Coordinates of all heavy atoms in Angstrom, one line a residue:
M1 N 0.8 -1.2 0.0 CA 0.0 0.0 0.0 C 0.9 1.2 0.0 O 1.7 1.4 0.9 CB -0.9 0.0 1.2 CG -1.7 1.3 1.4 SD -2.8 1.2 2.7 CE -2.1 2.4 3.9
T2 N 0.7 2.1 -1.0 CA 1.5 3.3 -1.1 C 0.5 4.5 -1.4 O -0.3 4.4 -2.3 CB 2.6 3.3 -2.1 OG1 3.4 2.2 -1.9 CG2 3.4 4.6 -2.1
I3 N 0.6 5.5 -0.6 CA -0.2 6.7 -0.8 C 0.9 7.8 -1.0 O 1.9 7.8 -0.4 CB -1.0 7.1 0.5 CG1 -2.1 6.0 0.8 CG2 -1.7 8.4 0.3 CD1 -3.1 5.8 -0.3
Y4 N 0.6 8.7 -1.9 CA 1.6 9.7 -2.3 C 0.9 11.1 -2.0 O -0.3 11.3 -2.1 CB 1.9 9.6 -3.8 CG 2.6 8.3 -4.1 CD1 1.8 7.2 -4.6 CD2 3.9 8.2 -4.1 CE1 2.4 6.0 -4.9 CE2 4.5 6.9 -4.4 CZ 3.7 5.9 -4.8 OH 4.3 4.7 -5.1
I5 N 1.8 12.1 -1.8 CA 1.4 13.5 -1.6 C 2.4 14.4 -2.2 O 3.6 14.2 -2.1 CB 1.2 13.8 -0.1 CG1 0.5 15.1 0.2 CG2 2.5 13.7 0.7 CD1 0.0 15.4 1.6
D6 N 1.9 15.4 -2.9 CA 2.8 16.4 -3.4 C 2.9 17.6 -2.5 O 2.1 17.8 -1.5 CB 2.4 16.8 -4.8 CG 1.1 17.5 -5.0 OD1 0.4 17.7 -3.9 OD2 0.7 17.9 -6.1
P7 N 3.9 18.5 -2.6 CA 4.0 19.6 -1.7 C 2.8 20.6 -1.8 O 2.2 20.7 -2.9 CB 5.3 20.4 -2.3 CG 5.9 19.4 -3.2 CD 4.9 18.5 -3.7
P8 N 2.5 21.3 -0.7 CA 1.4 22.2 -0.7 C 1.7 23.4 -1.6 O 2.2 24.4 -1.0 CB 1.2 22.5 0.7 CG 2.5 22.2 1.4 CD 3.1 21.2 0.6
S9 N 1.5 23.4 -2.9 CA 1.9 24.5 -3.7 C 0.7 24.9 -4.6 O 0.9 25.7 -5.6 CB 3.0 24.0 -4.6 OG 2.7 22.9 -5.3
W10 N -0.5 24.5 -4.3 CA -1.7 24.9 -5.1 C -2.6 25.8 -4.3 O -3.1 25.4 -3.3 CB -2.5 23.6 -5.5 CG -1.6 22.7 -6.2 CD1 -0.9 21.6 -5.7 CD2 -1.3 22.7 -7.6 NE1 -0.2 21.0 -6.7 CE2 -0.4 21.7 -7.9 CE3 -1.6 23.5 -8.7 CZ2 0.2 21.4 -9.1 CZ3 -1.1 23.3 -9.9 CH2 -0.2 22.2 -10.1
P11 N -2.7 27.1 -4.7 CA -3.4 28.1 -4.0 C -4.9 27.9 -4.2 O -5.4 27.5 -5.3 CB -3.0 29.4 -4.6 CG -2.5 29.1 -5.9 CD -2.0 27.7 -5.9
G12 N -5.7 28.2 -3.1 CA -7.1 28.2 -3.2 C -7.7 28.6 -1.9 O -7.3 28.1 -0.8
H13 N -8.7 29.4 -1.9 CA -9.5 29.7 -0.7 C -8.6 30.3 0.5 O -8.7 30.0 1.6 CB -10.3 28.6 -0.1 CG -11.2 28.0 -1.2 ND1 -12.3 28.6 -1.6 CD2 -11.0 26.8 -1.9 CE1 -12.9 27.8 -2.6 NE2 -12.1 26.7 -2.8
G14 N -7.5 31.0 0.1 CA -6.6 31.6 1.0 C -5.6 30.7 1.7 O -5.0 31.0 2.7
R15 N -5.5 29.5 1.1 CA -4.6 28.5 1.6 C -3.8 27.9 0.5 O -4.1 28.1 -0.7 CB -5.3 27.3 2.2 CG -6.2 27.6 3.4 CD -7.0 26.4 3.7 NE -7.4 26.4 5.1 CZ -8.0 25.4 5.7 NH1 -8.3 24.3 5.0 NH2 -8.3 25.5 7.0
M16 N -2.8 27.0 0.8 CA -2.0 26.3 -0.1 C -2.5 24.8 0.1 O -2.7 24.4 1.2 CB -0.5 26.4 0.1 CG -0.1 27.9 -0.1 SD -0.4 28.5 -1.8 CE 0.9 27.7 -2.7
W17 N -2.5 24.0 -1.0 CA -3.0 22.7 -1.0 C -2.1 21.7 -1.6 O -1.3 22.0 -2.5 CB -4.4 22.6 -1.7 CG -5.4 23.5 -1.2 CD1 -5.6 24.9 -1.3 CD2 -6.4 23.1 -0.2 NE1 -6.6 25.3 -0.6 CE2 -7.2 24.3 0.1 CE3 -6.8 21.9 0.3 CZ2 -8.3 24.3 0.9 CZ3 -7.9 21.9 1.2 CH2 -8.6 23.1 1.5
S18 N -2.2 20.4 -1.1 CA -1.5 19.3 -1.7 C -2.5 18.3 -2.3 O -3.7 18.5 -2.0 CB -0.8 18.5 -0.6 OG 0.3 19.3 0.0
H19 N -2.0 17.4 -3.1 CA -2.9 16.3 -3.6 C -2.4 15.0 -3.0 O -1.3 14.7 -3.0 CB -2.7 16.3 -5.1 CG -3.1 17.5 -5.8 ND1 -2.2 18.3 -6.5 CD2 -4.3 18.1 -5.9 CE1 -2.9 19.3 -7.0 NE2 -4.2 19.3 -6.6
L20 N -3.4 14.3 -2.5 CA -3.2 13.0 -1.9 C -3.7 11.9 -2.8 O -4.9 12.0 -3.2 CB -3.9 12.9 -0.5 CG -3.6 11.8 0.4 CD1 -2.1 11.9 0.9 CD2 -4.5 11.8 1.6
I21 N -2.9 11.0 -3.3 CA -3.3 10.0 -4.2 C -2.9 8.6 -3.8 O -2.0 8.4 -3.0 CB -2.8 10.2 -5.6 CG1 -1.3 10.1 -5.7 CG2 -3.2 11.6 -6.1 CD1 -0.7 9.7 -7.0
S22 N -3.5 7.6 -4.5 CA -3.1 6.2 -4.4 C -2.7 5.8 -5.9 O -3.4 6.2 -6.8 CB -4.2 5.3 -3.9 OG -3.9 3.9 -4.1
D23 N -1.8 4.9 -6.0 CA -1.5 4.3 -7.3 C -2.1 2.9 -7.4 O -1.8 2.1 -8.4 CB 0.0 4.3 -7.7 CG 0.8 3.5 -6.8 OD1 0.3 3.0 -5.7 OD2 2.0 3.2 -7.2
V24 N -2.9 2.5 -6.4 CA -3.5 1.1 -6.4 C -5.0 1.2 -6.5 O -5.5 0.5 -7.4 CB -3.0 0.4 -5.1 CG1 -3.7 -0.9 -5.0 CG2 -1.5 0.2 -5.1
S25 N -5.7 1.9 -5.7 CA -7.1 1.9 -5.7 C -7.7 3.1 -5.0 O -7.0 3.7 -4.1 CB -7.7 0.6 -5.1 OG -7.6 0.7 -3.7
Y26 N -8.9 3.5 -5.4 CA -9.6 4.5 -4.6 C -10.0 4.1 -3.2 O -10.0 4.9 -2.3 CB -10.8 5.0 -5.4 CG -10.5 5.6 -6.8 CD1 -11.1 5.0 -7.9 CD2 -9.7 6.7 -6.9 CE1 -10.8 5.5 -9.1 CE2 -9.4 7.2 -8.1 CZ -10.0 6.6 -9.3 OH -9.7 7.1 -10.5
D27 N -10.3 2.8 -3.1 CA -10.6 2.3 -1.7 C -9.4 2.5 -0.8 O -9.7 2.9 0.4 CB -11.0 0.8 -1.8 CG -12.3 0.5 -2.5 OD1 -13.1 1.4 -2.6 OD2 -12.5 -0.6 -3.0
E28 N -8.2 2.2 -1.3 CA -7.0 2.4 -0.4 C -6.9 3.9 -0.1 O -6.6 4.3 1.1 CB -5.8 2.0 -1.2 CG -4.5 2.3 -0.5 CD -3.3 2.0 -1.3 OE1 -3.2 2.5 -2.5 OE2 -2.4 1.2 -0.8
L29 N -7.1 4.8 -1.0 CA -7.0 6.2 -0.8 C -8.1 6.7 0.2 O -7.8 7.4 1.1 CB -7.2 7.0 -2.1 CG -7.1 8.5 -2.1 CD1 -5.8 9.0 -1.5 CD2 -7.3 9.0 -3.5
H30 N -9.3 6.2 0.0 CA -10.4 6.6 1.0 C -10.1 6.1 2.4 O -10.4 6.8 3.4 CB -11.8 6.1 0.5 CG -12.2 6.7 -0.8 ND1 -12.2 8.0 -1.1 CD2 -12.7 6.1 -1.9 CE1 -12.7 8.2 -2.3 NE2 -13.0 7.1 -2.8
A31 N -9.6 4.9 2.5 CA -9.3 4.4 3.8 C -8.2 5.2 4.5 O -8.3 5.5 5.7 CB -8.9 2.9 3.7
F32 N -7.2 5.6 3.8 CA -6.1 6.4 4.3 C -6.6 7.8 4.7 O -6.3 8.2 5.8 CB -5.0 6.6 3.3 CG -3.8 7.3 3.8 CD1 -2.7 6.5 4.3 CD2 -3.6 8.6 3.7 CE1 -1.6 7.2 4.8 CE2 -2.5 9.3 4.2 CZ -1.4 8.5 4.7
A33 N -7.4 8.4 3.9 CA -8.0 9.7 4.2 C -8.9 9.6 5.4 O -8.9 10.5 6.3 CB -8.8 10.2 3.0
A34 N -9.6 8.5 5.6 CA -10.5 8.4 6.7 C -9.7 8.3 8.0 O -10.1 8.8 9.1 CB -11.4 7.1 6.6
R35 N -8.6 7.6 8.0 CA -7.7 7.5 9.2 C -7.2 8.8 9.6 O -6.9 9.0 10.8 CB -6.5 6.5 8.9 CG -7.0 5.0 8.9 CD -5.8 4.1 9.0 NE -4.8 4.2 7.9 CZ -4.9 3.7 6.7 NH1 -6.0 3.0 6.4 NH2 -4.0 3.9 5.8
L36 N -7.0 9.8 8.6 CA -6.6 11.1 8.9 C -7.8 12.1 9.2 O -7.5 13.2 9.5 CB -5.8 11.7 7.7 CG -4.4 11.1 7.5 CD1 -3.9 11.7 6.2 CD2 -3.5 11.3 8.6
D37 N -9.0 11.5 9.2 CA -10.2 12.3 9.4 C -10.3 13.4 8.3 O -10.8 14.5 8.6 CB -10.2 13.0 10.8 CG -10.4 11.9 11.9 OD1 -11.2 11.0 11.7 OD2 -9.8 12.1 13.0
V38 N -9.9 13.1 7.1 CA -10.1 14.0 6.0 C -11.5 13.8 5.5 O -11.9 12.6 5.2 CB -9.1 13.7 4.9 CG1 -9.3 14.6 3.7 CG2 -7.7 14.0 5.4
P39 N -12.3 14.8 5.4 CA -13.7 14.6 5.0 C -13.8 14.2 3.5 O -13.0 14.6 2.7 CB -14.3 16.0 5.1 CG -13.2 17.0 5.1 CD -12.0 16.2 5.7
R40 N -14.8 13.4 3.2 CA -15.0 12.8 1.9 C -15.2 13.9 0.8 O -14.9 13.8 -0.3 CB -16.1 11.8 1.9 CG -16.4 11.1 0.6 CD -15.2 10.1 0.3 NE -15.4 9.5 -1.0 CZ -15.8 8.2 -1.1 NH1 -16.1 7.5 -0.1 NH2 -16.0 7.7 -2.3
R41 N -15.7 15.0 1.3 CA -16.0 16.1 0.3 C -14.7 16.7 -0.2 O -14.7 17.4 -1.2 CB -16.8 17.2 1.0 CG -16.1 18.0 2.1 CD -17.0 19.1 2.7 NE -16.3 19.8 3.7 CZ -16.3 19.4 5.0 NH1 -16.9 18.3 5.4 NH2 -15.6 20.1 5.9
A42 N -13.5 16.4 0.4 CA -12.2 16.8 -0.1 C -11.7 15.9 -1.3 O -10.7 16.2 -1.9 CB -11.2 16.8 1.0
F43 N -12.5 14.9 -1.6 CA -12.1 14.0 -2.7 C -12.6 14.6 -4.0 O -13.8 15.0 -4.1 CB -12.7 12.6 -2.5 CG -12.3 11.7 -3.6 CD1 -11.1 11.2 -3.7 CD2 -13.3 11.3 -4.6 CE1 -10.7 10.3 -4.7 CE2 -13.0 10.4 -5.6 CZ -11.7 9.9 -5.7
E44 N -11.7 14.8 -5.0 CA -12.1 15.3 -6.3 C -11.6 14.4 -7.4 O -10.4 14.4 -7.7 CB -11.4 16.7 -6.4 CG -11.9 17.4 -7.7 CD -11.3 18.8 -7.8 OE1 -10.9 19.4 -6.8 OE2 -11.2 19.3 -9.0
R45 N -12.5 13.7 -8.0 CA -12.3 12.8 -9.1 C -11.3 11.7 -8.8 O -11.6 10.5 -8.9 CB -11.8 13.5 -10.4 CG -12.9 14.4 -10.9 CD -12.4 15.1 -12.2 NE -11.0 15.5 -12.2 CZ -10.5 16.7 -11.7 NH1 -11.3 17.5 -11.1 NH2 -9.2 16.9 -11.7
D46 N -10.0 12.0 -8.5 CA -9.0 10.9 -8.4 C -8.0 11.3 -7.3 O -7.0 10.6 -7.1 CB -8.2 10.7 -9.7 CG -7.6 12.0 -10.3 OD1 -7.5 13.0 -9.6 OD2 -7.2 12.0 -11.5
H47 N -8.2 12.3 -6.5 CA -7.3 12.7 -5.4 C -8.1 13.4 -4.3 O -9.2 13.9 -4.5 CB -6.2 13.6 -6.0 CG -6.8 14.9 -6.4 ND1 -7.3 15.1 -7.7 CD2 -6.9 16.1 -5.8 CE1 -7.7 16.4 -7.8 NE2 -7.5 17.0 -6.7
Y48 N -7.4 13.5 -3.2 CA -7.9 14.4 -2.1 C -7.1 15.7 -2.1 O -5.9 15.7 -2.3 CB -7.8 13.7 -0.7 CG -8.9 12.8 -0.4 CD1 -8.8 11.4 -0.8 CD2 -10.0 13.2 0.3 CE1 -9.8 10.5 -0.4 CE2 -11.0 12.3 0.7 CZ -10.9 11.0 0.3 OH -11.9 10.1 0.6
D49 N -7.8 16.8 -1.9 CA -7.2 18.1 -1.7 C -6.9 18.2 -0.2 O -7.9 18.1 0.6 CB -8.0 19.2 -2.2 CG -8.1 19.3 -3.7 OD1 -7.1 18.9 -4.4 OD2 -9.2 19.6 -4.2
L50 N -5.7 18.4 0.1 CA -5.3 18.4 1.6 C -4.6 19.8 1.9 O -3.7 20.2 1.2 CB -4.3 17.3 1.8 CG -4.2 16.8 3.3 CD1 -5.5 16.2 3.8 CD2 -3.1 15.8 3.4
P51 N -5.1 20.6 2.8 CA -4.5 21.9 3.1 C -3.1 21.7 3.7 O -2.8 20.7 4.3 CB -5.5 22.5 4.1 CG -6.2 21.3 4.8 CD -6.3 20.2 3.7
S52 N -2.3 22.7 3.5 CA -0.9 22.6 4.0 C -0.7 22.3 5.4 O 0.2 21.6 5.8 CB -0.2 24.0 3.6 OG -0.8 25.0 4.3
N53 N -1.7 22.7 6.3 CA -1.5 22.4 7.7 C -1.7 20.9 8.0 O -1.4 20.5 9.1 CB -2.5 23.3 8.6 CG -3.9 22.9 8.3 OD1 -4.4 22.9 7.2 ND2 -4.7 22.8 9.4
R54 N -2.2 20.1 7.0 CA -2.3 18.7 7.2 C -1.3 17.8 6.5 O -1.2 16.6 6.6 CB -3.7 18.2 6.7 CG -4.9 18.8 7.4 CD -5.1 18.5 8.9 NE -4.8 17.1 9.2 CZ -5.7 16.2 9.2 NH1 -7.0 16.4 8.8 NH2 -5.4 14.9 9.6
Y55 N -0.4 18.5 5.8 CA 0.7 17.8 5.1 C 1.5 16.9 6.0 O 1.7 15.8 5.7 CB 1.6 18.9 4.4 CG 2.6 18.3 3.5 CD1 2.4 17.9 2.2 CD2 3.9 18.2 3.9 CE1 3.3 17.4 1.3 CE2 4.9 17.6 3.1 CZ 4.6 17.3 1.8 OH 5.6 16.8 1.0
A56 N 2.0 17.5 7.0 CA 2.9 16.7 8.0 C 2.2 15.5 8.5 O 2.7 14.4 8.7 CB 3.4 17.6 9.1
D57 N 0.9 15.7 8.8 CA 0.1 14.6 9.3 C 0.0 13.4 8.3 O 0.2 12.2 8.7 CB -1.4 15.0 9.6 CG -1.5 16.1 10.7 OD1 -0.6 16.2 11.5 OD2 -2.5 16.8 10.7
A58 N -0.1 13.7 7.1 CA -0.2 12.7 6.0 C 1.2 12.0 5.9 O 1.2 10.8 5.8 CB -0.6 13.3 4.7
V59 N 2.2 12.7 5.9 CA 3.6 12.1 5.8 C 3.8 11.3 7.0 O 4.3 10.1 6.9 CB 4.6 13.2 5.7 CG1 6.0 12.6 5.7 CG2 4.4 14.0 4.3
L60 N 3.5 11.7 8.2 CA 3.7 10.9 9.4 C 2.9 9.6 9.4 O 3.3 8.6 9.9 CB 3.3 11.7 10.7 CG 4.3 12.8 11.1 CD1 3.8 13.6 12.3 CD2 5.6 12.1 11.5
A61 N 1.7 9.7 8.7 CA 0.9 8.5 8.6 C 1.3 7.5 7.5 O 0.8 6.5 7.4 CB -0.6 8.9 8.3
G62 N 2.3 8.0 6.8 CA 2.9 7.1 5.8 C 2.9 7.5 4.3 O 3.3 6.8 3.4
A63 N 2.3 8.7 4.0 CA 2.3 9.1 2.6 C 3.7 9.4 2.2 O 4.5 10.0 2.9 CB 1.4 10.4 2.5
V64 N 4.0 9.1 1.0 CA 5.3 9.3 0.4 C 5.3 10.6 -0.4 O 4.4 10.9 -1.2 CB 5.7 8.1 -0.6 CG1 7.0 8.4 -1.3 CG2 5.7 6.8 0.1
E65 N 6.3 11.5 0.0 CA 6.4 12.8 -0.7 C 6.9 12.7 -2.1 O 8.0 12.0 -2.3 CB 7.3 13.7 0.2 CG 6.8 13.9 1.6 CD 7.8 14.5 2.5 OE1 8.7 13.8 3.0 OE2 7.8 15.8 2.6
V66 N 6.2 13.3 -3.0 CA 6.7 13.3 -4.4 C 6.4 14.6 -5.0 O 5.6 15.4 -4.5 CB 6.0 12.2 -5.3 CG1 6.3 10.8 -4.8 CG2 4.5 12.4 -5.3
A67 N 7.0 14.9 -6.2 CA 6.8 16.2 -6.9 C 5.4 16.1 -7.5 O 4.9 15.0 -7.8 CB 7.8 16.3 -8.0
S68 N 4.8 17.3 -7.8 CA 3.5 17.4 -8.4 C 3.4 16.6 -9.7 O 2.4 16.0 -10.0 CB 3.1 18.8 -8.6 OG 3.0 19.4 -7.3
R69 N 4.4 16.8 -10.5 CA 4.4 16.1 -11.8 C 4.4 14.6 -11.7 O 3.9 13.8 -12.5 CB 5.5 16.5 -12.7 CG 6.9 16.2 -12.3 CD 8.0 16.7 -13.2 NE 9.3 16.5 -12.6 CZ 9.9 17.3 -11.8 NH1 9.3 18.4 -11.3 NH2 11.1 17.0 -11.3
E70 N 5.0 14.1 -10.6 CA 5.0 12.6 -10.3 C 3.6 12.1 -9.9 O 3.2 11.0 -10.2 CB 6.0 12.3 -9.2 CG 6.2 10.9 -8.9 CD 6.9 10.1 -10.0 OE1 7.4 10.7 -11.0 OE2 7.1 8.9 -9.9
V71 N 2.8 13.0 -9.2 CA 1.4 12.6 -8.9 C 0.7 12.3 -10.2 O 0.0 11.3 -10.3 CB 0.8 13.8 -8.1 CG1 -0.7 13.6 -8.1 CG2 1.3 13.8 -6.7
V72 N 0.8 13.2 -11.2 CA 0.1 12.9 -12.4 C 0.6 11.7 -13.1 O -0.1 10.9 -13.6 CB 0.2 14.2 -13.4 CG1 -0.4 13.9 -14.7 CG2 -0.4 15.4 -12.7
R73 N 1.9 11.5 -13.2 CA 2.5 10.3 -13.8 C 2.0 9.0 -13.1 O 1.7 8.1 -13.8 CB 4.1 10.4 -13.7 CG 4.7 9.3 -14.6 CD 6.2 9.1 -14.3 NE 6.4 8.5 -13.0 CZ 6.2 7.2 -12.7 NH1 5.7 6.4 -13.5 NH2 6.5 6.8 -11.5
L74 N 2.0 9.0 -11.8 CA 1.6 7.8 -11.1 C 0.1 7.5 -11.3 O -0.3 6.4 -11.5 CB 1.8 8.0 -9.6 CG 3.2 8.0 -9.1 CD1 3.4 8.6 -7.7 CD2 3.7 6.5 -9.1
L75 N -0.7 8.6 -11.4 CA -2.2 8.3 -11.7 C -2.4 7.8 -13.1 O -3.2 6.9 -13.3 CB -3.0 9.6 -11.5 CG -3.2 10.1 -10.0 CD1 -3.8 11.5 -10.0 CD2 -4.2 9.1 -9.4
L76 N -1.7 8.4 -14.0 CA -1.8 7.9 -15.4 C -1.3 6.5 -15.5 O -2.0 5.6 -16.2 CB -1.0 8.8 -16.4 CG -1.6 10.2 -16.6 CD1 -0.6 11.0 -17.4 CD2 -2.9 10.1 -17.4
A77 N -0.1 6.1 -14.9 CA 0.4 4.8 -15.0 C -0.5 3.7 -14.4 O -0.6 2.6 -14.8 CB 1.8 4.8 -14.4
S78 N -1.2 4.1 -13.3 CA -2.0 3.2 -12.6 C -3.4 3.0 -13.3 O -4.2 2.1 -12.9 CB -2.2 3.7 -11.2 OG -3.0 4.9 -11.1
G79 N -3.8 3.9 -14.2 CA -5.1 3.9 -14.8 C -6.1 4.6 -13.9 O -7.3 4.5 -14.2
L80 N -5.7 5.2 -12.8 CA -6.7 5.8 -11.9 C -7.0 7.3 -12.2 O -7.8 7.9 -11.5 CB -6.2 5.7 -10.5 CG -6.1 4.3 -9.9 CD1 -5.5 4.3 -8.5 CD2 -7.5 3.7 -9.9
R81 N -6.3 7.9 -13.2 CA -6.5 9.3 -13.5 C -7.9 9.5 -14.1 O -8.3 8.8 -15.0 CB -5.4 9.7 -14.6 CG -5.6 11.2 -15.0 CD -5.1 12.1 -13.9 NE -5.0 13.5 -14.5 CZ -5.5 14.5 -13.9 NH1 -6.1 14.4 -12.8 NH2 -5.3 15.7 -14.4
R82 N -8.6 10.5 -13.5 CA -9.9 10.9 -14.0 C -9.8 12.4 -14.3 O -9.7 13.2 -13.4 CB -11.0 10.7 -12.9 CG -11.3 9.2 -12.6 CD -12.4 9.1 -11.6 NE -12.7 7.8 -11.3 CZ -13.4 7.4 -10.2 NH1 -13.8 8.3 -9.3 NH2 -13.6 6.1 -9.9
R83 N -9.9 12.6 -15.6 CA -9.9 14.0 -16.0 C -11.2 14.8 -15.8 O -12.2 14.1 -15.7 CB -9.5 14.1 -17.5 CG -8.2 13.5 -17.8 CD -7.8 13.7 -19.3 NE -6.6 13.0 -19.6 CZ -5.4 13.5 -19.4 NH1 -5.2 14.6 -18.9 NH2 -4.4 12.8 -19.8
K84 N -11.1 16.1 -15.7 CA -12.3 16.9 -15.5 C -13.2 16.7 -16.7 O -12.7 16.6 -17.8 CB -12.0 18.4 -15.4 CG -11.4 18.8 -14.1 CD -11.2 20.3 -14.0 CE -10.7 20.7 -12.7 NZ -10.5 22.1 -12.6
Q85 N -14.5 16.7 -16.5 CA -15.5 16.6 -17.6 C -15.6 18.0 -18.2 O -15.5 19.0 -17.5 CB -16.8 16.2 -17.0 CG -16.8 14.8 -16.4 CD -16.4 13.7 -17.5 OE1 -17.0 13.7 -18.6 NE2 -15.5 12.8 -17.1
P86 N -15.8 18.0 -19.5 CA -16.1 19.3 -20.2 C -17.3 19.9 -19.7 O -18.2 19.2 -19.2 CB -16.2 18.9 -21.7 CG -16.5 17.5 -21.7 CD -15.9 16.9 -20.4
P87 N -17.4 21.2 -19.8 CA -18.7 21.9 -19.4 C -19.9 21.4 -20.1 O -19.8 20.9 -21.3 CB -18.4 23.4 -19.8 CG -17.0 23.5 -19.9 CD -16.4 22.2 -20.3
L88 N -21.0 21.4 -19.5 CA -22.3 20.9 -20.1 C -22.5 21.6 -21.4 O -22.3 22.8 -21.6 CB -23.4 21.3 -19.2 CG -24.7 20.4 -19.3 CD1 -24.4 18.9 -19.2 CD2 -25.7 20.8 -18.3
G89 N -22.8 20.8 -22.5 CA -23.0 21.3 -23.8 C -21.8 21.4 -24.7 O -21.8 21.8 -25.8
V90 N -20.6 21.1 -24.1 CA -19.3 21.1 -24.9 C -18.9 19.6 -25.0 O -18.8 18.9 -24.1 CB -18.2 21.9 -24.2 CG1 -16.9 21.8 -24.9 CG2 -18.7 23.4 -24.0
S91 N -18.6 19.2 -26.3 CA -18.2 17.9 -26.5 C -16.8 17.7 -26.0 O -16.0 18.6 -25.9 CB -18.2 17.5 -28.0 OG -17.2 18.2 -28.7
A92 N -16.5 16.4 -25.6 CA -15.2 16.1 -25.0 C -14.1 16.4 -26.1 O -13.0 16.9 -25.7 CB -15.1 14.6 -24.6
S93 N -14.3 16.1 -27.3 CA -13.3 16.4 -28.3 C -13.0 17.9 -28.5 O -11.9 18.4 -28.7 CB -13.6 15.8 -29.7 OG -14.8 16.3 -30.2
A94 N -14.1 18.7 -28.4 CA -13.9 20.2 -28.5 C -13.2 20.7 -27.3 O -12.4 21.7 -27.4 CB -15.3 20.8 -28.6
S95 N -13.4 20.1 -26.1 CA -12.7 20.7 -24.9 C -11.2 20.3 -24.9 O -10.5 20.9 -24.2 CB -13.4 20.1 -23.7 OG -13.1 18.8 -23.5
R96 N -10.8 19.3 -25.7 CA -9.4 18.9 -25.8 C -8.6 19.7 -26.8 O -7.4 19.6 -26.9 CB -9.3 17.4 -26.0 CG -9.6 16.6 -24.9 CD -9.2 15.2 -25.1 NE -9.9 14.6 -26.2 CZ -11.0 13.8 -26.1 NH1 -11.6 13.6 -24.9 NH2 -11.6 13.3 -27.2
R97 N -9.3 20.5 -27.7 CA -8.6 21.2 -28.7 C -7.6 22.2 -28.0 O -8.0 22.9 -27.1 CB -9.6 22.0 -29.5 CG -10.0 21.2 -30.7 CD -10.8 22.1 -31.7 NE -11.8 21.4 -32.2 CZ -13.1 21.7 -32.2 NH1 -13.5 22.8 -31.7 NH2 -14.0 20.8 -32.8
T98 N -6.5 22.3 -28.6 CA -5.5 23.3 -28.1 C -5.5 24.6 -28.9 O -4.9 25.6 -28.5 CB -4.1 22.7 -28.2 OG1 -3.8 22.3 -29.5 CG2 -3.9 21.6 -27.2
S99 N -6.1 24.6 -30.1 CA -6.2 25.8 -30.9 C -7.6 25.8 -31.5 O -8.2 24.8 -31.7 CB -5.1 25.8 -32.0 OG -5.3 24.7 -32.8
P100 N -8.1 27.0 -31.9 CA -9.4 27.0 -32.5 C -9.5 26.3 -33.8 O -8.5 26.2 -34.5 CB -9.6 28.5 -32.7 CG -8.4 29.2 -32.3 CD -7.4 28.2 -31.8
A101 N -10.6 25.9 -34.2 CA -10.8 25.2 -35.5 C -10.5 26.2 -36.6 O -10.9 27.4 -36.5 CB -12.2 24.6 -35.6
P102 N -9.9 25.7 -37.7 CA -9.7 26.7 -38.8 C -11.0 27.2 -39.4 O -12.0 26.5 -39.4 CB -8.9 25.8 -39.8 CG -9.1 24.4 -39.4 CD -9.5 24.4 -38.0
R103 N -10.9 28.4 -39.8 CA -12.1 29.0 -40.5 C -12.1 28.7 -41.9 O -11.1 28.6 -42.6 CB -12.1 30.5 -40.3 CG -12.3 31.0 -38.9 CD -12.4 32.5 -38.9 NE -12.6 33.0 -37.6 CZ -12.8 34.2 -37.3 NH1 -12.8 35.1 -38.2 NH2 -13.1 34.6 -36.0
P104 N -13.3 28.5 -42.5 CA -13.4 28.2 -43.9 C -13.0 29.5 -44.7 O -13.2 30.6 -44.2 CB -14.8 27.8 -44.2 CG -15.6 28.2 -43.0 CD -14.6 28.4 -41.8
P105 N -12.4 29.3 -45.9 CA -12.0 30.5 -46.6 C -13.2 31.3 -47.1 O -14.3 30.8 -47.3 CB -11.2 29.9 -47.9 CG -11.5 28.4 -47.9 CD -12.1 28.1 -46.5
G106 N -13.0 32.6 -47.2 CA -14.0 33.4 -47.8 C -14.7 34.3 -46.8 O -15.4 34.9 -46.6

């Protein structure tokens, strides 16, 4: 069982946040978060958002410290990565475009 955490470097709501993930299962991740009394509402698609004041608690409980880019790599490699859904009414392919569609001539 390995749980990973990245440094608290994501701003939001006047705080800095870390991401807590598992590379094995969501069940493992939920169990770890429950042992830390992290509320389930802190779970977002494939990770828990953890405020900076809880970072040390997670590490002491056994979370392995990794860089933020490693969190994404681990989630992708495990098959547990869940991307954000496109806004309602926007197709998934349209939301993945990196540049606007070319305009027809004329």
